[in-house]
Amino acid sequence: MAIRKATPLLTSKDLNVRPPPSVNIPTTEIVERPPLPLTLPTLHWQEIGHIRILPTTDEILCQKRPFMPRKDAQNGTNERRGIARMLDVQFRHLRYDTLEPVVDACYHASQFLATTFQDPPSLDYEARQNTVRGTQYSLFRDVRLEDSRFETGGMHLRLSFACPARLRQSRMLSSGHFESGMLMALVGLDSANTLSTAFFIVEMCQSTLSMKPITGNHLRASVVASFVEPSDTDTMRQTLYGLKGLLNKEKFVIVEFSKILVAGFYWILKHLQLLSSSNAEIAFANLIAPSDPTRSEIIAAPAYSSCGSSPFDLSVLQRADTLDGPSSLQIDPDYMALGPARQQDIIGNVCSTTTLDSGQATALCENLSRGLAFTQGPPGTGKTFLGVSLAKVILKHTPQKPILVACMTNHALDNFLGDLVKQGVTKIARIGSGSKEEWMDKYTLPSIRKTFERSERNPAQKTKADRAFNAVQALWYQGTAWCDSLNTHTLTWAAVADHLKFKYPYAYSDFSRYEAPSEQKVSEIRRGRSEAGGYAFEHWSTGRDLIVTEAFSRDAGSFFNKSTPGTRSVDGSSDSESSSVDIAQSPPHIPVAYPYDDLGQDVWSMPMDIRAAWIKRWKSELGSSSPVDKLVEIQRRYLEAKRIKKDLLDESDVKGLASQEVIGLTTTACAKYWPMLKSLDLETLICEEAGEVSEAQTITALLPSMKHAIFIGDPLQLRPQVNQSSLSLETPYGTKYRLDESLFERMVMPSDPSKQPLPVSRLDLQRRMHPEVAQLMRSTLYPYLKDHPSTSHLPVAGMAHRTFWLDHQEPEDAPNSLVTSSKSYSNAFECAMICELVRYLLNTNDFGSGEIAILVPYSQQLARLREKLTGTRSCSIALIEKDKEDLMDMGLLDESEQSQFRTDVEVSPMVRLATIDGFQGEEAKVIILSTVRSNLQDRVGFLQTTNRINVACSRARNGFYIVGNSTLLRTVDMWATIVADFEARGRLGTSFTTHCSRHPQQTQAVSQPHQFQEPLSAKASATSSTSVVIDVAANAPSAVRMVLTANVKGHASNSILVGISARPSATLGVPVRRAIYLASGLVSMVEYVEDLAVSPAIHACRRARRAPCHAPCGSVARYRNLGQIQLAPDALERLYRKFGRKMHMFAKNVQAYRKNLQNGIEWFCDNFQPGPLTGQANAAMIKTRMLYIVPIEAAITRFRDEVVVRVEKDIVRTALLLGRSYTPVPVKLSFKVRLDLLHLHCRLTVVQEAARIVHFLRDFDNPKHAEHMVRILKMHTIQAIDQYMAAAEELVEYCRSNSLLLLEAETLLVQLSFDAVGERLGCVADNGERHGRVEQLIRENPDTAGTLRPCYQCLDPYTKGKDSTAELWTSKTREFWEKWGDHEMGSLGYCKNGHPYSRKAFPGCPECGGRKVRGEQIEDGEGFVKHLDREMFLKAMATLA
């Protein structure tokens, strides 16, 4: 692609392009590019290999005539002939047909730019544009480059534009604009009046909602696009220069072509150029493009079967009931040389043993005997079935080579391959990504590639592939980095590295030492990431190291800022508050100023504002064009690396594909993957839909190795679609060029009478249309067509005839001047008539979803029908995607409506509404055709083409109805024959004849739309009464459906869906009652649910234990509690045992967590790597260790607050109420404070771990980048110690006041441990009093606090700094927790201080050393008297309250 720049007014020295022929861009008014005549100036001959595929700017502005050769060589000229001429003609025809609208639209856009260059941007405008020549496109204004990105395919640009109001919000995404893969052009005009053009592929569209975070408003949308020709670096460079404003001020618009798919033409044109320039061979060139047209060629048998090979074995097609003995069903390759009698014998044998009919069997034998074979299949004759049968036979004959299956569309390809899979051919490969079938996933090329790589690739191939992959990834990293540099606010390492290396070596050293890859093991990816990404520089320029430091400061507070025990009381309340840390109080020590002329100091010590200043300076020193030039160079290298990688993948794919039986792809994919297919040496081609495939596309499938090519289709149905209809066979002028002529049609139905057509097989048994419908085809195009017995379909309910032509003289509507296209027509009468006919047919209830289709030739009529049908609740509408796009392009379907073109009503039928061209290959039970045209000028329009008439009249199965002006259509020969056939059978008239399905003798003539709603005669209405019962589930939803079956308004039996509101039944399984009411022929079934009386559940009262008097007390609440009081001691003992075991479990878990932390310190030390790049990882490791014990701590706290605190309150209150009948002494529980102590042990573990980390970082070899962590961690640890010491002091006071001597001593030891940690961090603690108290408790209470003497002895060297591994959890410490877990029922005792303990586990109270106190014995009947007195009971309750 040339640089699409032209400078008609000034020189182009800056852009290095040639000026166009003297054409100036007008600056006053828009003038249209005139239509170019298509004569044949021989002086313009140029080899197609030198022609740019996409239009150049010079071509857009040029007014000289394009070179368009005729399809056939002219006699008496020196034109080239043979394959070279065919390639040249096909290239020029396809390029002109596809890209002439592009040239016209871009010229129109350039005129717009020239006339509005000085105008301010417009906030709202109409994007749809229409040139004088009728080219429709969309133009989007005020284009800006938002950013660039480096994706898998190379560089992508995100271009934003002013979004028209009707496309704002999310409407752009559903508008059909900027769909992936479509073509768009970026047209620019600069202040020097220089035009530029670059072509892109749309990758993704972004709505104004998506762009709001970037633009700050809802006024701009964007499109992400890639260059169509990414290897054209000149275009890329100049486009980026223009978008970045590096040369002159330039204004851009986007020209969007919503109907032009780049893959649909680009690879075919590229392939034709390749064949032309390399003189590559094409299979059967002597037949399809002979050098001497006067010489006749004979079609021989396939080359692989003509050299003495075995006959074709047809046993794979035999029916199961004919496979008893050895198969003799064979066909010799010389079948065509046999006599007619012998051929008939073979055909009869094939028909009797297979499911093929006579026509299919004949076509099968002929196709197997011809190297180049053509089969014509009229509608419904089983063309795909024949193709599948041929594939199975050929695979049986030549299993060593895959068959190539090519189709025009992805839909047809999926259907063909799906039929093969159903027939047992499962070794298939589907190339291309256009399939929408989920079952196809395992047959795609990527899936096969993965399977092959796992099983077949050797180590050498894998190494080579990995090297290529690494090279691509390395360049991708560099491209990504340079794209960041190109974007506005970023300076990357890739852009600045060389500059720093030579001008600021100290700074370069500070960055590069963290990026240098290991020389011993370095990959291309790592080197590319090092060269391009510059993680260290990115880290520095964005201040991530500073962010990590600040984040660590915040997180460090959370390590210690956990809930801690506060003031101890019976109800567990706490009045201490967690301390918070203000990061701002201790900012990192960073210089506030830095010299701008020297970088000899550490760059990592710079604050963010100084870093930003240096970045700005370096950007200024580098200049603005450097990123563009470097990015373009990386793009070139990246594409080369990708080519090498693709060659290796293709080499691997070839081996994987060679093991398959069938390779399927579209004709477009054939062109794209032609080099890979060529290396497979494929010998057989089966082309489906060959009549719709253009000749240029067909050539791509004729690989040089092909020995057998089979084309199946119907040239009498729709031809290949073209954009330039004036150059098609539909116009007299277009017969010279025949852009829509397929190779199939040219070979078997040549337009030149002097040329001999090639032999063609014909299928003759149709299985779709009822014989009455098929008669239309027999009387016109297929006189040999026969009907299969299965076509005797049921009649159309409510209609007297299954085929009918409603003739009228109502004029067509004038073209809508408000619509962008004036070539489309509509007819209001036909629209109203068809809508009422559809409603009538649907009300018969004989047709389901998709069984009725309306066909029209014009989009204008399609739009009117859509609007009229979607306005009713009787049906929903389905449009095919192509028709929807056409309506949107013409402005007949708003973007806001496009997702609503289906009016889905539950259980309603769905009517398919389509243009004739879009319905090829489809069928329906009932087809209604609107011919639209009705005028006095005898203008038939689109329906004058035989192929289109054929498609329109061959889609129906049961019934076919035409609404149109027969007088006008008689001017066309084929229509005249069809009209005559309707007349001969009495099926043409000015009114439809309708009747009741159950009383066909009652008929009615309908000539106007409103007559469909008029009732039949009263007699018919009164005599019909029929009931239909439809079962409805008993648990029906709230909207119960009611079906009314009646002769509504005298019409045929109609089922009308009605939704009624009904209350759902309260319980499932309720019987449904049905009542059928008959009245005046109206039969209705009403369903309702009878509400059952739900008896309230009667819950039997539980009997409480009897009182000593043995009187029943279940009816009085306070009496019922007596039984529970009697059980209270046992329940309390079980509760104590459960608490003891729970505390034992918590203590063991805390100890295990401490051990795990100690064991993991070595791993932490080995993996800690201080430095600016590892700060986040280091902080994460520290955070993990500091929060390691949090789960068990949270469990302790939750159990304490949610269980223990509440239970202890209840126990104390109950003891006050019941007195000594409950406990012998006032109870003083210690479970809660024990859990508080465990909580303090967890906090002690955290501060000890913090001290351990601080000392490790201090002693590290390179503590420079860890000093911030040391300072922050130390500060928070000291603050936390103060907080925990205060909480422990409250706990000591509580223990002292409640005689909990063991607990007091243990808490004092924890306090001393906190003091020891603080001293190691540099804090001096006055803890002499605590030491004295601990020694006193140990000395005076040898049985309780004295058990902690070993712990105190271990702690002493730790507090004096002699040992850093002190452990409070000795065997004596754990003894208390373990013994509580050994408690047995019946051994609970209370000491004199009210402490419960286990007499089985402890000789005396483990807390204070006291002995058990004997309580009063409560015998049966004793101790309850006071509780039976109502006044005493209420008094006690009031006291507690």
Side-chain angles (χ1 to χ4, degrees):
M1 185 195 299
I3 304 170
R4 299 182 220 297
K5 281 276 186 175
T7 50
L9 302 181
L10 301 177
T11 62
S12 55
K13 58 183 180 180
D14 291 334
L15 302 178
N16 191 25
V17 293
R18 69 179 182 86
S22 54
V23 177
N24 293 340
I25 299 178
T27 57
T28 56
E29 61 178 349
I30 294 181
V31 294
E32 295 295 336
R33 185 172 183 268
L36 305 180
L38 300 173
T39 55
L40 180 62
T42 56
L43 65 154
H44 285 158
W45 187 278
Q46 184 183 10
E47 293 292 340
I48 61 174
H50 300 266
I51 299 177
R52 299 283 184 179
I53 291 180
L54 294 169
T56 64
T57 302
D58 296 339
E59 185 178 355
I60 292 171
L61 295 177
C62 181
Q63 294 186 353
K64 291 186 178 180
R65 296 169 296 180
F67 176 64
M68 275 287 290
R70 295 183 179 183
K71 189 70 171 284
D72 299 321
Q74 301 180 52
N75 297 327
T77 64
N78 296 325
E79 293 184 56
R80 293 183 297 178
R81 299 181 184 274
I83 197 66
R85 186 183 189 282
M86 184 185 72
L87 293 175
D88 184 90
V89 170
Q90 292 302 322
F91 176 86
R92 296 178 189 275
H93 283 192
L94 178 60
R95 185 176 185 273
Y96 180 84
D97 180 60
T98 305
L99 298 179
E100 182 60 20
V102 174
V103 173
D104 188 31
C106 290
Y107 182 84
H108 187 267
S110 69
Q111 305 298 302
F112 169 81
L113 278 174
T115 56
T116 62
F117 187 80
Q118 301 297 333
D119 296 348
S122 176
L123 294 180
D124 191 19
Y125 58 91
E126 176 55 55
R128 289 192 293 258
Q129 301 290 322
N130 198 34
T131 68
V132 169
R133 297 181 60 188
T135 301
Q136 299 172 6
Y137 72 98
S138 297
L139 185 142
F140 296 93
R141 310 177 187 178
D142 190 21
V143 178
R144 305 173 193 167
L145 174 64
E146 292 295 338
D147 57 52
S148 59
R149 59 183 72 174
F150 216 81
E151 302 291 349
T152 305
M155 189 172 68
H156 289 36
L157 303 182
R158 179 161 60 176
L159 304 171
S160 70
F161 52 86
C163 185
R166 66 182 180 86
L167 297 177
R168 291 173 188 165
Q169 304 296 324
S170 60
R171 291 188 291 271
M172 174 65 78
L173 302 179
S174 58
S175 66
H177 288 291
F178 297 113
E179 293 187 351
S180 178
M182 296 300 174
L183 180 70
M184 59 170 265
L186 183 67
V187 180
L189 184 68
D190 65 12
S191 56
N193 210 25
T194 302
L195 185 70
S196 66
T197 312
F199 289 96
F200 292 84
I201 302 174
V202 175
E203 301 292 343
M204 180 180 65
C205 178
Q206 292 180 296
S207 66
T208 56
L209 291 175
S210 300
M211 290 298 294
K212 186 179 180 181
I214 299 175
T215 61
N217 54 53
H218 289 292
L219 302 178
R220 298 186 68 80
S222 71
V223 58
V224 177
S226 60
F227 289 90
V228 174
E229 295 183 328
S231 59
D232 186 1
T233 54
D234 290 338
T235 297
M236 181 184 297
R237 178 182 290 107
Q238 300 305 328
T239 300
L240 291 176
Y241 279 172
L243 289 169
K244 299 294 290 185
L246 301 180
L247 296 178
N248 298 318
K249 177 184 177 183
E250 195 160 2
K251 191 173 184 178
F252 289 94
V253 294
I254 290 177
V255 179
E256 185 215 3
F257 311 96
S258 59
K259 292 184 179 180
I260 301 181
L261 183 68
V262 174
F265 72 92
Y266 182 82
W267 294 109
I268 298 174
L269 291 175
K270 201 78 173 174
H271 176 63
L272 294 174
Q273 282 185 326
L274 175 65
L275 293 177
S276 177
S277 59
S278 61
N279 296 320
E281 296 182 1
I282 297 177
F284 309 104
N286 60 325
L287 294 172
I288 64 176
S291 300
D292 184 3
T294 61
R295 178 183 174 184
S296 60
E297 297 284 348
I298 298 176
I299 301 179
Y304 59 76
S305 63
S306 59
C307 300
S309 62
S310 59
F312 289 99
D313 185 0
L314 271 61
S315 62
V316 293
L317 303 181
Q318 285 186 256
R319 298 193 307 270
D321 57 348
T322 63
L323 290 174
D324 297 337
S327 173
S328 61
L329 192 60
Q330 296 178 341
I331 297 178
D332 291 326
D334 59 351
Y335 165 85
M336 298 304 300
L338 301 177
R342 176 58 180 153
Q343 290 181 357
Q344 287 301 317
D345 291 341
I346 295 175
I347 297 302
N349 190 20
V350 172
C351 292
S352 63
T353 56
T354 69
T355 57
L356 298 173
D357 60 49
S358 176
Q360 291 171 336
T362 303
L364 177 80
C365 298
E366 293 176 351
N367 276 270
L368 293 175
S369 304
R370 295 170 181 158
L372 181 62
F374 297 92
T375 298
Q376 179 186 7
T381 53
K383 295 185 285 294
T384 300
F385 181 75
L386 173 64
V388 172
S389 300
L390 283 166
K392 293 173 65 176
V393 173
I394 296 172
L395 285 174
K396 179 77 172 178
H397 186 71
T398 58
Q400 67 276 10
K401 290 291 182 70
I403 295 176
L404 182 66
V405 174
C407 297
M408 173 66 182
T409 63
N410 286 292
H411 177 68
L413 179 62
D414 289 341
N415 288 341
F416 192 94
L417 296 181
D419 289 346
L420 279 174
V421 172
K422 293 175 183 177
Q423 293 293 323
V425 182
T426 57
K427 296 181 67 176
I428 64 175
R430 208 247 196 234
I431 302 178
S433 58
S435 176
K436 297 181 179 179
E437 303 291 339
E438 293 184 2
W439 63 267
M440 188 64 73
D441 292 343
K442 65 179 180 179
Y443 300 111
T444 59
L445 184 57
S447 298
I448 295 173
R449 180 186 301 148
K450 291 178 181 178
T451 303
F452 177 78
E453 288 176 352
R454 285 195 297 266
S455 59
E456 301 293 337
R457 181 179 285 185
N458 57 50
Q461 290 176 324
K462 187 176 185 307
T463 301
K464 198 173 182 180
D466 290 344
R467 188 179 298 114
F469 173 80
N470 291 342
V472 171
Q473 286 297 101
L475 288 167
W476 179 85
Y477 279 125
Q478 294 185 41
T480 300
W482 279 103
C483 282
D484 292 340
S485 297
L486 183 65
N487 298 335
T488 307
H489 304 294
T490 310
L491 180 67
T492 64
W493 177 248
V496 79
D498 290 338
H499 183 67
L500 294 182
K501 185 174 182 179
F502 295 103
K503 193 168 183 180
Y504 304 96
Y506 292 106
Y508 178 81
S509 176
D510 282 343
F511 295 131
S512 61
R513 63 182 175 179
Y514 297 109
E515 288 291 333
S518 171
E519 294 298 333
Q520 297 179 359
K521 186 177 181 180
V522 59
S523 67
E524 292 291 338
I525 296 180
R526 184 68 180 90
R527 181 176 289 110
R529 186 69 180 89
S530 171
E531 294 175 358
Y535 182 69
F537 180 79
E538 180 184 356
H539 210 74
W540 176 85
S541 61
T542 56
R544 291 184 188 174
D545 55 319
L546 304 179
I547 296 173
V548 168
T549 301
E550 184 176 348
F552 183 76
S553 299
R554 292 193 299 268
D555 291 342
S558 67
F559 301 161
F560 309 98
N561 196 16
K562 298 293 179 182
S563 60
T564 55
T567 303
R568 306 301 155 190
S569 61
V570 174
D571 61 0
S573 61
S574 173
D575 59 4
S576 64
E577 297 181 357
S578 302
S579 62
S580 60
V581 180
D582 187 359
I583 301 173
Q585 295 176 354
S586 54
H589 179 68
I590 301 176
V592 295
Y594 217 82
Y596 280 79
D597 57 349
D598 182 30
L599 278 178
Q601 302 183 37
D602 182 19
V603 296
W604 297 100
S605 300
M606 290 183 181
M608 197 61 222
D609 56 341
I610 302 300
R611 297 183 186 188
W614 274 108
I615 292 172
K616 183 177 180 180
R617 175 173 175 174
W618 291 335
K619 289 176 70 174
S620 176
E621 292 173 350
L622 286 171
S624 56
S625 63
S626 177
V628 173
D629 297 333
K630 191 66 177 180
L631 185 58
V632 170
E633 172 60 19
I634 290 176
Q635 170 88 347
R636 183 192 64 78
R637 293 166 52 200
Y638 176 77
L639 294 177
E640 177 62 20
K642 278 199 66 177
R643 184 192 63 77
I644 297 173
K645 177 186 173 183
K646 182 181 182 301
D647 290 344
L648 292 174
L649 285 178
D650 288 349
E651 182 181 339
S652 175
D653 291 342
V654 165
K655 296 179 181 179
L657 292 174
S659 63
Q660 306 301 312
E661 293 179 334
V662 175
I663 299 174
L665 70 176
T666 61
T667 52
T668 301
C670 281
K672 183 176 181 179
Y673 296 96
W674 191 84
M676 181 175 65
L677 296 175
K678 181 182 177 183
S679 61
L680 285 168
D681 291 330
L682 302 176
E683 296 181 347
T684 305
L685 166 69
I686 298 178
C687 181
E688 264 266 279
E689 295 182 333
E692 292 186 73
V693 183
S694 68
E695 192 163 348
Q697 291 175 314
T698 307
I699 293 172
T700 64
L702 294 176
L703 301 167
S705 58
M706 285 294 172
K707 299 177 181 178
H708 194 185
I710 300 172
F711 294 92
I712 304 174
D714 187 4
L716 295 181
Q717 297 188 53
L718 290 183
R719 295 189 174 101
Q721 294 184 0
V722 295
N723 297 315
Q724 305 299 320
S725 57
S726 61
L727 301 181
S728 69
L729 284 163
E730 297 182 6
T731 64
Y733 182 74
T735 56
K736 302 176 183 178
Y737 303 96
R738 307 197 300 278
L739 268 62
D740 60 341
E741 184 181 51
S742 65
L743 179 68
F744 192 127
E745 184 174 4
R746 183 168 70 85
M747 291 291 100
V748 303
M749 301 172 60
S751 57
D752 186 353
S754 63
K755 293 185 178 180
Q756 186 70 20
L758 295 183
V760 58
S761 304
R762 287 189 173 89
L763 306 181
D764 58 4
L765 185 65
Q766 67 90 16
R767 293 171 171 81
R768 174 189 295 166
M769 300 169 281
H770 186 276
E772 189 173 335
V773 180
Q775 179 58 31
L776 299 175
M777 297 293 97
R778 277 189 289 271
S779 64
T780 52
L781 300 176
Y782 310 107
Y784 53 85
L785 192 63
K786 295 178 289 186
D787 303 318
H788 192 272
S790 63
T791 58
S792 299
H793 306 303
L794 294 174
V796 180
M799 300 295 290
H801 310 293
R802 70 169 67 247
T803 61
F804 194 84
W805 185 310
L806 181 71
D807 192 17
H808 70 87
Q809 300 297 320
E810 299 293 334
E812 65 193 38
D813 302 330
N816 189 350
S817 60
L818 300 178
V819 178
T820 56
S821 173
S822 60
K823 299 179 181 179
S824 195
Y825 298 88
S826 63
N827 190 302
F829 172 78
E830 292 186 13
C831 181
M833 200 71 186
I834 289 174
C835 288
E836 293 304 323
L837 175 59
V838 168
R839 294 189 183 100
Y840 174 78
L841 292 175
L842 291 177
N843 287 336
T844 64
N845 202 34
D846 284 358
F847 301 99
S849 175
E851 294 177 339
I852 299 177
I854 305 172
L855 302 185
V856 297
Y858 293 101
S859 296
Q860 181 75 35
Q861 182 77 343
L862 189 78
R864 293 198 64 163
L865 284 167
R866 180 199 67 83
E867 181 180 359
K868 199 169 184 64
L869 284 172
T870 52
T872 178
R873 297 186 59 187
S874 61
C875 66
S876 60
I877 302 302
L879 291 177
I880 64 174
E881 190 67 24
K882 181 181 180 301
D883 289 339
K884 184 194 73 171
E885 294 174 357
D886 290 341
L887 291 180
M888 294 178 61
D889 291 338
M890 297 173 62
L892 299 174
L893 179 66
D894 291 338
E895 287 78 1
S896 59
E897 298 178 317
Q898 71 87 23
S899 60
Q900 304 172 6
F901 65 88
R902 286 179 54 186
T903 308
D904 293 322
V905 180
E906 189 175 7
V907 195
S908 293
M910 182 188 303
V911 175
R912 287 183 287 174
L913 182 58
T915 58
I916 298 172
D917 291 5
F919 209 69
Q920 167 118 345
E922 304 291 335
E923 63 179 44
K925 283 189 176 181
V926 177
I927 294 290
I928 305 173
L929 173 64
S930 171
T931 62
V932 178
R933 302 305 299 271
S934 180
N935 53 70
L936 300 178
Q937 294 78 25
D938 292 340
R939 294 175 180 172
V940 178
F942 285 156
L943 284 181
Q944 65 183 333
T945 307
T946 301
N947 302 69
R948 192 169 282 114
I949 300 172
N950 183 11
V951 173
C953 296
S954 61
R955 304 297 102 192
R957 293 177 58 86
N958 295 45
F960 179 47
Y961 302 97
I962 301 176
V963 182
N965 186 334
S966 64
T967 304
L968 171 64
L969 294 180
R970 285 178 194 268
T971 59
V972 179
D973 292 341
M974 185 171 176
W975 278 122
T977 304
I978 293 175
V979 172
D981 184 87
F982 272 97
E983 283 182 321
R985 291 185 286 122
R987 299 292 188 266
L988 186 145
T990 58
S991 61
F992 288 117
T993 302
T994 63
H995 67 77
C996 176
S997 299
R998 295 174 177 80
H999 307 87
Q1001 69 276 10
Q1002 300 295 329
T1003 62
Q1004 178 170 313
V1006 178
S1007 59
Q1008 295 296 325
H1010 65 85
Q1011 292 177 341
F1012 277 109
Q1013 302 176 14
E1014 296 178 358
L1016 291 173
S1017 63
K1019 179 181 180 180
S1021 176
T1023 58
S1024 67
S1025 69
T1026 306
S1027 63
V1028 178
V1029 178
I1030 297 180
D1031 192 16
V1032 177
N1035 54 346
S1038 58
V1040 178
R1041 297 187 180 88
M1042 179 174 62
V1043 178
L1044 304 180
T1045 306
N1047 291 338
V1048 179
K1049 296 182 180 178
H1051 284 69
S1053 174
N1054 296 298
S1055 292
I1056 304 174
L1057 183 68
V1058 180
I1060 64 173
S1061 177
R1063 184 176 52 162
S1065 62
T1067 59
L1068 300 181
V1070 176
V1072 176
R1073 291 188 177 181
R1074 297 175 176 83
I1076 299 179
Y1077 300 93
L1078 304 178
S1080 302
L1082 177 64
V1083 183
S1084 66
M1085 182 192 70
V1086 180
E1087 300 200 358
Y1088 64 94
V1089 177
E1090 179 183 14
D1091 293 332
L1092 296 183
V1094 181
S1095 300
I1098 301 175
H1099 301 283
C1101 298
R1102 291 183 303 163
R1103 289 180 175 273
R1105 287 174 177 260
R1106 291 177 179 270
C1109 63
H1110 301 288
C1113 57
S1115 60
V1116 182
R1118 65 177 182 273
Y1119 292 163
R1120 286 200 303 268
N1121 292 332
L1122 295 178
Q1124 302 301 326
I1125 293 174
Q1126 189 175 10
L1127 298 176
D1130 290 343
L1132 188 63
E1133 187 171 357
R1134 285 193 296 269
L1135 195 63
Y1136 287 164
R1137 181 178 63 178
K1138 192 173 293 289
F1139 282 1
R1141 291 179 177 178
K1142 193 75 172 177
M1143 287 193 305
H1144 179 216
M1145 182 198 72
F1146 283 142
K1148 286 202 319 183
N1149 288 342
V1150 172
Q1151 173 64 5
Y1153 274 71
R1154 290 172 59 88
K1155 284 291 186 184
N1156 290 340
L1157 279 175
Q1158 292 175 3
N1159 296 335
I1161 189 62
E1162 184 176 352
W1163 179 91
F1164 172 80
C1165 297
D1166 292 340
N1167 288 273
F1168 191 90
Q1169 299 294 330
L1173 306 186
T1174 57
Q1176 189 169 359
N1178 293 335
M1181 286 196 298
I1182 294 175
K1183 184 175 181 179
T1184 300
R1185 292 188 64 82
M1186 296 296 293
L1187 299 180
Y1188 181 73
I1189 205 169
V1190 167
I1192 183 61
E1193 183 181 5
I1196 293 171
T1197 304
R1198 185 167 54 252
F1199 181 70
R1200 180 195 68 191
D1201 296 341
E1202 297 179 4
V1203 179
V1204 175
V1205 170
R1206 297 179 181 180
V1207 171
E1208 286 191 357
K1209 286 181 181 180
D1210 292 340
I1211 291 174
V1212 172
R1213 289 180 178 180
T1214 305
L1216 292 175
L1217 171 65
L1218 300 180
R1220 295 180 63 83
S1221 63
Y1222 187 66
T1223 58
V1225 292
V1227 65
K1228 296 180 181 178
L1229 302 178
S1230 62
F1231 294 108
K1232 178 181 177 300
V1233 290
R1234 277 285 169 187
L1235 293 174
D1236 287 341
L1237 179 60
L1238 276 179
H1239 186 280
L1240 283 175
H1241 273 290
C1242 294
R1243 294 291 87 202
L1244 176 61
T1245 302
V1246 171
V1247 298
Q1248 287 175 336
E1249 180 63 24
R1252 190 181 294 115
I1253 293 174
V1254 167
H1255 279 277
F1256 164 72
L1257 296 180
R1258 283 177 177 174
D1259 300 336
F1260 201 78
D1261 294 339
N1262 184 17
K1264 179 178 180 180
H1265 293 290
E1267 59 186 12
H1268 295 317
M1269 290 184 176
V1270 170
R1271 180 184 51 78
I1272 293 169
L1273 198 57
K1274 179 180 175 181
M1275 176 189 67
H1276 285 286
T1277 303
I1278 293 173
Q1279 292 179 355
I1281 289 175
D1282 293 339
Q1283 179 184 356
Y1284 303 149
M1285 288 290 288
E1289 189 63 35
E1290 295 177 6
L1291 190 58
V1292 168
E1293 292 298 328
Y1294 178 82
C1295 295
R1296 190 172 298 170
S1297 62
N1298 289 276
S1299 302
L1300 299 171
L1301 304 181
L1302 176 62
L1303 191 59
E1304 179 186 359
E1306 192 170 349
T1307 307
L1308 288 171
L1309 289 179
V1310 171
Q1311 280 188 305
L1312 291 175
S1313 299
F1314 279 125
D1315 284 339
V1317 174
E1319 289 178 359
R1320 295 195 66 197
L1321 296 177
C1323 298
V1324 179
D1326 184 10
N1327 51 23
E1329 184 178 346
R1330 294 192 187 95
H1331 278 285
R1333 177 59 177 167
V1334 172
E1335 293 173 355
Q1336 178 187 354
L1337 289 172
I1338 292 174
R1339 182 175 61 253
E1340 295 177 356
N1341 303 279
D1343 296 332
T1344 55
T1347 59
L1348 298 179
R1349 183 179 297 278
C1351 302
Y1352 181 65
Q1353 292 172 348
C1354 291
L1355 183 63
D1356 186 58
Y1358 180 76
T1359 57
K1360 297 178 180 178
K1362 297 179 181 180
D1363 184 16
S1364 60
T1365 60
E1367 178 57 68
L1368 293 179
W1369 294 86
T1370 64
S1371 58
K1372 286 294 183 182
T1373 312
R1374 295 192 296 269
E1375 186 178 80
F1376 172 83
W1377 308 93
E1378 294 171 354
K1379 287 185 176 181
W1380 252 118
D1382 297 335
H1383 174 68
E1384 295 180 0
M1385 292 297 296
S1387 62
L1388 180 67
Y1390 291 88
C1391 71
K1392 62 180 180 180
N1393 293 317
H1395 304 145
Y1397 68 97
S1398 173
R1399 291 183 288 111
K1400 176 71 174 177
F1402 301 101
C1405 177
E1407 295 290 357
C1408 64
R1411 298 298 177 180
K1412 177 180 181 296
V1413 177
R1414 180 176 175 80
E1416 34 178 311
Q1417 296 293 326
I1418 305 177
E1419 303 296 340
D1420 193 21
E1422 296 181 6
F1424 287 95
V1425 177
K1426 61 180 180 180
H1427 302 298
L1428 296 177
D1429 186 273
R1430 183 173 182 274
E1431 294 182 359
M1432 292 181 63
F1433 182 83
L1434 294 177
K1435 182 178 179 180
M1437 295 300 295
T1439 302
L1440 290 176

